[in-house]
Amino acid sequence: MPKLLLCLFFLIISPLLEAEERDSRAPLHFCNSHWPPYSYGDKRAQPIGGYAIDFMREISKRIDHPIRLSILPWLRCLTMNKKGQLDGIMLLTANEDRRRFLYLTEPLLHDANLLWYLNDNQHVADRTSFEELQGLRIGIVEGFNYGEAFAEATEQLKLAVQTAPTVYTNFVKLERGWIDVFLVNRVVADFTLLSRPELKERLVVRKGPFEPVGFRVGLSHAGKAANMLDQFNSAIEAMTREGVVTTILQYPPLVLQVVPTN
């Protein structure tokens, strides 16, 4: 009888163990927004290229685990990670709110936001403090993280911040004189303006009161990658040490001719 019970036990438990093993090898599902040149995709949310895509594919090989990538609207990407419907975010900066639902890796790269103006705007200037932004109509991208210092300054100094859904939309607003200055880093700005060389000629860029910030991978607290922070950090550390990150950033990603929308 004990042998019969033991056989029955293995008959019951074996499929469960096999299912658990299959689930442990199920692809991790990460998202990012359409954010050239870091990530961009087609109308079906399929990734086409970008630095973040290349980073994730390299990390997938190094942790020996499949990763599925999707390009989604940014706020949807954040919300789905909060709910545990996705396993992580390919590339983002850190702030207190994001740490509430994401484990954040070591940085893959650092960059700082700059100030973009029309060249005939009377306010064109470098600005070394957030106080110097008072009185300007400031454009930012909805849902993007401009740093906790900027968030605090916006509230304390009552900065005139206007949000728009995309980087391109902000450049259109700048062109039409609806805002005085737009905050974005040079890599993203230059890539966005590939389709508008005549507008880029009318713009000037100046330094702002922003420190370079780290761009990291985020792992959802409620996702399948929640216990893999050490593996991701080990992969990133090796990629940095071996010069793989520098190599990826050295070459511009595939230029996709996307018709901008405003």
Side-chain angles (χ1 to χ4, degrees), residues 18-70:
E18 290 175 6
E20 184 177 348
E21 183 178 355
R22 286 196 302 271
D23 185 64
S24 69
R25 293 296 301 167
L28 304 173
H29 194 177
F30 280 68
C31 64
N32 228 59
S33 65
H34 182 79
W35 186 31
Y38 298 112
S39 55
Y40 51 95
D42 60 24
K43 294 180 179 179
R44 298 173 298 155
Q46 296 303 304
I48 293 175
Y51 299 132
I53 307 297
D54 291 341
F55 289 149
M56 293 305 298
R57 287 173 176 164
E58 181 67 25
I59 289 172
S60 176
K61 290 189 294 184
R62 289 172 182 263
I63 66 173
D64 189 28
H65 199 110
I67 297 179
R68 175 186 170 195
L69 307 176
S70 293

Side-chain angles (χ1 to χ4, degrees), residues 23-24 26-29 65 84 86-87 220-228:
D23 185 64
S24 69
L28 304 173
H29 194 177
H65 199 110
L86 295 176
D87 300 307
S220 171
H221 288 181
K224 297 191 296 293
N227 63 347
M228 300 178 70

Side-chain angles (χ1 to χ4, degrees), residues 9-179:
F9 172 77
F10 279 112
L11 284 173
I12 294 170
I13 200 67
S14 294
L16 297 177
L17 292 173
E18 290 175 6
E20 184 177 348
E21 183 178 355
R22 286 196 302 271
D23 185 64
S24 69
R25 293 296 301 167
L28 304 173
H29 194 177
F30 280 68
C31 64
N32 228 59
S33 65
H34 182 79
W35 186 31
Y38 298 112
S39 55
Y40 51 95
D42 60 24
K43 294 180 179 179
R44 298 173 298 155
Q46 296 303 304
I48 293 175
Y51 299 132
I53 307 297
D54 291 341
F55 289 149
M56 293 305 298
R57 287 173 176 164
E58 181 67 25
I59 289 172
S60 176
K61 290 189 294 184
R62 289 172 182 263
I63 66 173
D64 189 28
H65 199 110
I67 297 179
R68 175 186 170 195
L69 307 176
S70 293
I71 304 299
L72 303 174
W74 183 237
L75 295 181
R76 187 189 305 172
C77 180
L78 291 171
T79 299
M80 292 182 75
N81 274 274
K82 286 181 182 179
K83 295 180 177 180
Q85 296 170 332
L86 295 176
D87 300 307
I89 299 176
M90 298 180 216
L91 202 65
L92 77 169
T93 56
N95 64 19
E96 184 177 348
D97 177 65
R98 293 173 181 181
R99 291 188 186 277
R100 292 191 182 102
F101 64 94
L102 294 171
Y103 297 113
L104 296 169
T105 68
E106 294 300 312
L108 281 148
L109 68 148
H110 292 80
D111 206 349
N113 287 307
L114 299 168
L115 310 179
W116 295 78
Y117 308 85
L118 280 179
N119 54 20
D120 58 357
N121 188 294
Q122 61 178 326
H123 301 292
V124 173
D126 291 334
R127 298 175 190 273
T128 59
S129 70
F130 292 115
E131 285 79 4
E132 294 178 61
L133 292 173
Q134 289 180 295
L136 301 183
R137 297 168 299 170
I138 305 165
I140 64 171
V141 178
E142 183 180 14
F144 276 33
N145 175 31
Y146 289 86
E148 293 174 356
F150 177 74
E152 292 174 4
T154 297
E155 183 176 350
Q156 294 173 3
L157 302 173
K158 308 299 181 185
L159 298 180
V161 171
Q162 300 182 24
T163 61
T166 68
V167 173
Y168 182 77
T169 306
N170 273 288
F171 277 124
V172 171
K173 291 176 68 174
L174 199 62
E175 178 183 32
R176 296 176 181 176
W178 297 348
I179 55 176

Side-chain angles (χ1 to χ4, degrees), residues 141-256:
V141 178
E142 183 180 14
F144 276 33
N145 175 31
Y146 289 86
E148 293 174 356
F150 177 74
E152 292 174 4
T154 297
E155 183 176 350
Q156 294 173 3
L157 302 173
K158 308 299 181 185
L159 298 180
V161 171
Q162 300 182 24
T163 61
T166 68
V167 173
Y168 182 77
T169 306
N170 273 288
F171 277 124
V172 171
K173 291 176 68 174
L174 199 62
E175 178 183 32
R176 296 176 181 176
W178 297 348
I179 55 176
D180 296 308
V181 62
F182 172 43
L183 314 180
V184 69
N185 67 53
R186 184 181 291 276
V187 173
V188 172
D190 285 346
F191 201 89
T192 302
L193 291 166
L194 282 173
S195 62
R196 292 292 309 276
E198 81 289 352
L199 173 56
K200 186 175 182 180
E201 291 181 0
R202 298 180 56 202
L203 299 175
V204 292
V205 59
R206 294 289 184 267
K207 294 179 182 178
F210 296 95
E211 295 292 331
V213 295
F215 288 77
R216 310 162 188 267
V217 178
L219 311 179
S220 171
H221 288 181
K224 297 191 296 293
N227 63 347
M228 300 178 70
L229 183 62
D230 288 344
Q231 294 179 57
F232 274 75
N233 276 333
S234 294
I236 290 169
E237 189 276 330
M239 289 164 61
T240 303
R241 184 181 67 251
E242 297 166 13
V244 174
V245 171
T246 301
T247 300
I248 289 173
L249 293 172
Q250 185 176 359
Y251 299 99
L254 172 69
V255 175
L256 177 66

